[in-house]
Each structure stands twice: as structure tokens, then as C-alpha cells.
Amino acid sequence: EAQVTQNPRYLITVTGKKLTVTCSQNMNHEYMSWYRQDPGLGLRQIYYSMNVEVTDKGDVPEGYKVSRKEKRNFPLILESPSPNQTSLYFCASRMGQDNSPLHFGNGTRLTVT
Amino acid sequence: AQSVTQPDIHITVSEGASLELRCNYSYGATPYLFWYVQSPGQGLQLLLKYFSGDTLVQGIKGFEAEFKRSQSSFNLRKPSVHWSDAAEYFCAVEAYNTDKLIFGTGTRLQVFP
């Protein structure tokens, strides 16, 4: 089954403790992206990647890192999480620059205390 | 810069009633337009998309949307709502050849029996 898999689904952590949210897709998509969803703000893009070893900042990249060492994986790294990063995070992927629709993971709800 | 406005934060309808969710965009040229639906605890799923051609597009689950260039709108409609349509709906716009998808803030639909 074609899917985008995020782990974990829920994560509670404390300020400053590094964490990684994994994202993997099995559709051989070139493009992958991370979004955060906050009430009243919709989805905002954090980082995206056009292909392996190619990453770019989205609208709200501060406090986040990503890597794209393999085509299928696009982990989101919070080196020193802060409470304002408490949010619902979505990973998404699609084919390259053909405006094909995004396929979303089921989300990771992160709470930073 | 491109932007998307969904003026209705929350809409309540009775089952069987018709539905229209509003979406207005700001962009200098004709953008690529999308509607996504998010069921509770799930990621976003594409309902329909508009790139060019016929301005009335059909999507899944009986939804349709009409692109009106003169009004910079891309409203989502359904003739008869089902209880399972209760969800949050997001309009999104992408400028040509940018790979940057901008989401609206979402409209939460509640359906009463």
C-alpha cells in the first residue's frame, strides 16, 4: 500500500531534549515536505526537499533541521525543543515538479513541556 | 506573495443540506488550486484540484469546486451532505513552478443528523 509513515504518533518531551520525528514514503517520490498545524493558522511549511541531498527552508524553519540522505526518508530534527514547538506535525510527499497532489502521513502530535 | 483565505472558521449544516465552503486566493496569475480534507486523527486527503481547462472540477466523495478568475475564488460545493463529511477542509494554492503550497486556515464542518 502506498503510504507516508510518520513515527511516533504522539510524543511528549521536555525543553531542550533533542528529538527526531521520522518520515518514510514507499512511492519513490522526489519531493518531501514537513508542515506544522496550529489552530487558526492552518498548515505552515517547515522544510522541504526536492530530492536526495537537496533541502530548502519553508516558511517556519527556525528551530528545526532536516536531512535527505535517502529518497524514501526525511526525518525532522529538533535539536533543542521549546514549548512553542508544541504542535501537530505532518510529513508529505509527491512526485517532482508536476504539481501532483501531496500524500500526507497521519501526523505526529508533539508536546514540549 | 500568494495567499489563501478561508473566511469561515466553522460551518454547521444538517445532513442532506447543500454545502458551500469559500476559498479566496491572492496571486498574480492563475495558480494551481487544491481542496484537501482532514478527518479527525488523520492526515490530509486530496478532494480535487484545478490546473487549467474546465473551471468546474469534480472530486471524490461527491464534491465539486468552481474556479472563478474574476472573483479569485475556488469554492467547494456538495449538493447533499452526509454525516461522514464532518471534517476540516483546507484550500491550498500553488504558484506555477514553485513547489510551494500555501494552505488556508481551514474550515471545520459539523453535520447534524
Side-chain angles (χ1 to χ4, degrees):
Chain A
E1 180 188 353
Q3 59 185 1
V4 178
T5 303
Q6 292 178 232
N7 281 297
R9 288 294 306 272
Y10 301 92
L11 180 57
I12 300 174
T13 189
V14 296
T15 299
K17 185 175 182 182
K18 180 180 178 179
L19 66 91
T20 299
V21 184
T22 64
C23 175
S24 180
Q25 51 92 6
N26 62 1
M27 296 167 280
N28 201 36
H29 285 167
E30 287 91 7
Y31 180 94
M32 298 186 73
S33 182
W34 277 102
Y35 294 87
R36 59 178 289 174
Q37 183 180 13
D38 302 289
L41 297 177
L43 278 82
R44 294 178 293 167
Q45 191 177 47
I46 302 170
Y47 269 95
Y48 65 98
S49 169
M50 297 295 296
N51 215 324
V52 176
E53 301 292 0
V54 180
T55 62
D56 282 293
K57 295 178 180 178
D59 296 316
V60 288
E62 294 78 19
Y64 304 95
K65 286 175 55 178
V66 293
S67 69
R68 189 88 183 274
K69 293 182 170 40
E70 307 164 279
K71 197 171 189 179
R72 63 182 291 124
N73 295 324
F74 191 45
L76 180 69
I77 303 156
L78 284 71
E79 295 271 5
S80 182
S82 62
N84 64 13
Q85 293 178 298
T86 293
S87 187
L88 179 59
Y89 291 86
F90 287 100
C91 180
S93 72
R94 70 179 189 189
M95 294 302 290
Q97 280 184 303
D98 63 352
N99 302 305
S100 56
L102 283 167
H103 296 256
F104 283 84
N106 283 334
T108 295
R109 185 166 292 281
L110 171 65
T111 302
V112 184
T113 61
Chain B
Q2 64 202 76
S3 65
V4 181
T5 301
Q6 292 181 249
D8 303 306
I9 296 172
H10 187 202
I11 284 182
T12 301
V13 300
S14 298
E15 190 169 20
S18 64
L19 172 71
E20 182 169 30
L21 302 183
R22 295 183 290 166
C23 173
N24 292 95
Y25 67 90
S26 173
Y27 180 58
T30 300
Y32 301 116
L33 297 160
F34 305 83
W35 274 100
Y36 285 85
V37 60
Q38 183 182 29
S39 298
Q42 302 293 315
L44 281 71
Q45 179 186 20
L46 181 72
L47 281 176
L48 47 79
K49 60 186 179 183
Y50 173 79
F51 292 164
S52 64
D54 192 347
T55 56
L56 184 63
V57 294
Q58 303 297 321
I60 62 172
K61 305 184 180 187
F63 285 92
E64 65 178 27
E66 186 172 12
F67 169 61
K68 292 186 177 180
R69 186 192 305 274
S70 61
Q71 299 176 19
S72 297
S73 69
F74 188 56
N75 294 348
L76 182 71
R77 301 194 294 248
K78 187 169 185 178
S80 178
V81 171
H82 188 263
W83 63 266
S84 61
D85 293 324
E88 188 150 21
Y89 292 80
F90 291 92
C91 182
V93 60
E94 180 175 352
Y96 174 74
N97 206 31
T98 64
D99 277 304
K100 188 166 183 58
L101 194 63
I102 304 295
F103 286 88
T105 52
T107 297
R108 181 167 296 279
L109 174 66
Q110 192 170 6
V111 181
F112 282 119

